[in-house]
Amino acid sequence: MYGEDEIDPYRAHSQQTDSSQQALYDSIDPFSEASQVAEPWGEQATDTACADSDDSESEDNAEPESQSSSVQHQTSNPAQPVPQLPVLRFTVGQMVDRSKRTPGFTFEVMTTIPSYKGRKYTGVERNQIEFERLEAHLRSTYPECLVPTLGPGTTTSKYVPDYQNDRLVVLLLQQWLNRVSVHPILRQDYELRQFVEAPFAFNPALTSSSAVGGSALSIAPQQGSGFFSWGKPKQRVVRSANPSPFDQQLETTADNMDAFQKNLSDTRRWHGRQARTRARLAIDLKDVGTKLVSVGVIEHNSGLGRSMKRLGKCFLHVGACAQTQSNLEGSRAIAVQDMYTVACDNVQKTLSNRQLIFTEHQVSERQLERKRQSVAVLRASATISPDQVQETLAEFNVAKTDADSKRQRAERVDKVLAADLQAFEANREGDFRALFSALGRDQLHIERQVLGEFKAVLDFVRHANDSSSSSTTSLAK
């Protein structure tokens, strides 16, 4: 519907994603330099925890100091300037080899992140399955982050031409890459770098321990519900007995997402029905136009025949316009609605992950306290063998490292989640506003074509009547 000199509102919104998302994360600044030093899955955090445990054990007759199980959230210094993030920019080219069952895409990458081997990568080719693997890896590795939802690899609407499907898929893929590349945590992922630099197929292991040095959430789900459950009922946020203001805000968000998802599913179903109905209307209008043209050809009255043929052509054109409207209603709107239906589930899972992160933190603190008590008992005893002492100290060091990792993750989960939820709300509003703007502009353009066609028919009929009246008058004379 848009020429080269026109602006697609949906594409215009996607082009603004980089700057708006970057400004949003910079204004919130949940990823302060101090919190990045203490990565819960980083090697530096592990080494620091082990060094602290070794220092605490080397003191003579000093009992290990108990740690509080409550999480103290760190706040960044407002006077300290926010460091500028390195550049990571993806540019999706086109869909390649659409004949395959799994579509492939080419893209370019420009980056200033030091861990990347190069600064510019051209001609990188990945298929939809590899993009889905990357998304699954990011979700399993960073359960405290609200990972953007990947769009569909294809929009297999029979009412939409292939080139329109391809254009929409590429646009949604570009939007997803933009949002991942501006996220201060996701953009630093090792597998994301491998996704760009790997010369062959990309197939990451869906475990966080191998890639980032940390540990994934390990609480076993209950049957039919719970973390990463595919059963019924769906995973929901557990209500707190004494919720904090932020907990209340998250519970409200969970309720809003639940209501939005239900209404969006109904809207999507009726939107699809509307597209199918309009497609049938387009077929009927074209059939009427074809019949009118046929009648006009065999009509012995030349004036009436011309009018019938002109009206038939009008119905054929209106039928084509109705087909175009069906294409618009059956592709972009449904693809965005499907994407946000899945996104609402991802929000619910991320909110549940937050609760599991705090639960694991409390469990690790209790385990550390038990190990600390065992060390105290060993130091008070004079009959314990040195091997047993070393084994107990090694277990204590492991427990302390794990507790520090869980504590650091719990300390920053609220800051990360608050920023991600605000970014998600901004994206949701912007995506639907752009969708409504594009649909309104397309529908207005089509309706103007239909009205112009009927106006042309009316002018034709009036001119034919005037010609017929003048002919009748001349014959009467």
Side-chain angles (χ1 to χ4, degrees):
M1 293 301 299
Y2 299 98
E4 294 181 357
D5 57 339
E6 294 181 301
I7 299 177
D8 185 343
Y10 201 80
R11 179 173 292 277
H13 168 67
S14 66
Q15 291 173 349
Q16 297 172 357
T17 301
D18 283 333
S19 58
S20 61
Q21 290 287 78
Q22 188 65 66
L24 176 62
Y25 281 114
D26 288 345
S27 62
I28 298 174
D29 188 23
F31 315 103
S32 61
E33 194 171 9
S35 64
Q36 287 185 355
V37 171
E39 289 281 354
W41 45 74
E43 297 179 358
Q44 184 174 1
T46 305
D47 297 340
T48 303
C50 292
D52 291 343
S53 62
D54 292 337
D55 292 341
S56 62
E57 295 304 323
S58 62
E59 298 177 359
D60 295 334
N61 299 327
E63 294 184 357
E65 213 174 352
S66 67
Q67 297 180 348
S68 173
S69 60
S70 62
V71 178
Q72 302 294 332
H73 298 290
Q74 300 177 357
T75 57
S76 59
N77 184 5
Q80 184 179 3
V82 179
Q84 188 68 25
L85 291 175
V87 175
L88 178 61
R89 184 177 298 112
F90 292 83
T91 303
V92 181
Q94 60 183 358
M95 184 180 294
V96 295
D97 200 1
R98 201 181 191 281
S99 61
K100 293 183 178 180
R101 179 176 299 181
T102 303
F105 308 91
T106 59
F107 58 91
E108 297 181 356
V109 182
M110 295 184 62
T111 181
T112 58
I113 299 178
S115 59
Y116 282 73
K117 297 178 181 178
R119 292 295 171 259
K120 185 174 181 180
Y121 301 83
T122 60
V124 183
E125 183 174 339
R126 293 285 180 261
N127 58 38
Q128 180 66 17
I129 293 180
E130 291 173 305
F131 277 98
E132 292 173 357
R133 290 171 182 169
L134 177 61
E135 182 192 27
H137 160 75
L138 294 176
R139 293 194 188 284
S140 63
T141 305
Y142 308 102
E144 73 274 26
C145 295
L146 183 56
V147 179
T149 302
L150 182 65
T154 55
T155 55
T156 55
S157 174
K158 63 181 180 180
Y159 310 114
V160 185
D162 287 343
Y163 76 91
Q164 291 187 11
N165 278 329
D166 296 349
R167 177 177 177 273
L168 175 61
V169 169
V170 169
L171 189 146
L172 293 177
L173 181 61
Q174 178 70 65
Q175 177 179 273
W176 183 78
L177 288 171
N178 289 346
R179 292 172 181 176
V180 169
S181 63
V182 300
H183 195 285
I185 294 180
L186 303 181
R187 71 203 309 271
Q188 302 289 343
D189 182 66
Y190 170 80
E191 292 294 346
L192 178 60
R193 177 164 66 89
Q194 291 298 108
F195 181 79
V196 174
E197 297 181 342
F200 303 107
F202 173 76
N203 189 14
L206 296 182
T207 57
S208 59
S209 57
S210 62
V212 291
S215 58
L217 295 180
S218 57
I219 298 178
Q222 297 178 357
Q223 183 67 27
S225 63
F227 180 59
F228 283 158
S229 171
W230 299 102
K232 299 292 182 179
K234 291 184 178 180
Q235 182 177 344
R236 289 293 179 260
V237 177
V238 180
R239 303 292 175 174
S240 303
N242 297 314
S244 64
F246 188 66
D247 289 331
Q248 294 177 354
Q249 179 183 352
L250 295 183
E251 291 173 1
T252 302
T253 300
D255 294 337
N256 292 339
M257 289 297 102
D258 189 33
F260 177 73
Q261 184 183 32
K262 291 179 180 178
N263 290 304
L264 190 63
S265 299
D266 294 339
T267 303
R268 190 257 186 240
R269 184 172 64 255
W270 287 102
H271 215 146
R273 182 175 297 182
Q274 178 186 4
R276 293 190 295 271
T277 301
R278 199 182 295 275
R280 289 193 293 267
L281 174 63
I283 295 174
D284 293 340
L285 288 172
K286 291 179 181 178
D287 289 342
V288 171
T290 302
K291 297 298 182 183
L292 285 174
V293 171
S294 300
V295 173
V297 170
I298 64 176
E299 174 60 40
H300 65 278
N301 187 327
S302 59
L304 180 59
R306 287 194 299 271
S307 298
M308 286 186 172
K309 287 189 288 185
R310 184 65 184 86
L311 184 60
K313 293 179 181 179
C314 174
F315 273 94
L316 288 173
H317 183 76
V318 173
C321 291
Q323 182 65 53
T324 304
Q325 286 179 304
S326 172
N327 295 345
L328 298 173
E329 295 164 352
S331 58
R332 175 182 294 176
I334 290 181
V336 174
Q337 290 167 359
D338 286 343
M339 188 174 66
Y340 272 94
T341 299
V342 177
C344 289
D345 276 337
N346 294 334
V347 171
Q348 297 282 2
K349 291 179 181 180
T350 305
L351 295 179
S352 297
N353 291 346
R354 172 184 177 268
Q355 295 177 335
L356 293 176
I357 287 172
F358 280 102
T359 300
E360 283 200 341
H361 165 64
Q362 295 171 0
V363 171
S364 65
E365 289 293 338
R366 288 195 294 268
Q367 292 177 348
L368 178 61
E369 183 61 28
R370 286 195 293 268
K371 297 298 181 183
R372 184 178 286 109
Q373 293 174 0
S374 299
V375 171
V377 170
L378 284 176
R379 286 178 173 175
S381 175
T383 60
I384 303 298
S385 63
D387 293 340
Q388 190 172 359
V389 172
Q390 292 298 326
E391 181 180 355
T392 304
L393 291 178
E395 293 177 354
F396 171 80
N397 291 336
V398 172
K400 189 174 187 303
T401 300
D402 182 68
D404 289 343
S405 174
K406 302 294 176 56
R407 175 180 55 79
Q408 291 160 3
R409 173 177 281 181
E411 282 176 349
R412 88 170 179 180
V413 62
D414 281 354
K415 292 183 289 185
V416 173
L417 190 56
D420 286 347
L421 286 176
Q422 188 170 348
F424 174 79
E425 284 299 323
N427 290 333
R428 187 166 68 105
E429 179 181 0
D431 287 348
F432 278 97
R433 283 183 181 273
L435 173 63
F436 300 152
S437 177
L439 283 177
R441 180 173 176 173
D442 289 344
Q443 296 289 354
L444 182 61
H445 180 72
I446 293 173
E447 293 297 338
R448 284 175 177 171
Q449 288 184 351
V450 173
L451 291 176
E453 189 67 25
F454 277 109
K455 185 177 181 299
V457 171
L458 182 60
D459 294 340
F460 179 85
V461 172
R462 286 175 178 174
H463 180 72
N465 288 338
D466 294 341
S467 300
S468 177
S469 298
S470 60
S471 300
T472 302
T473 303
S474 61
L475 289 175
K477 291 180 178 180

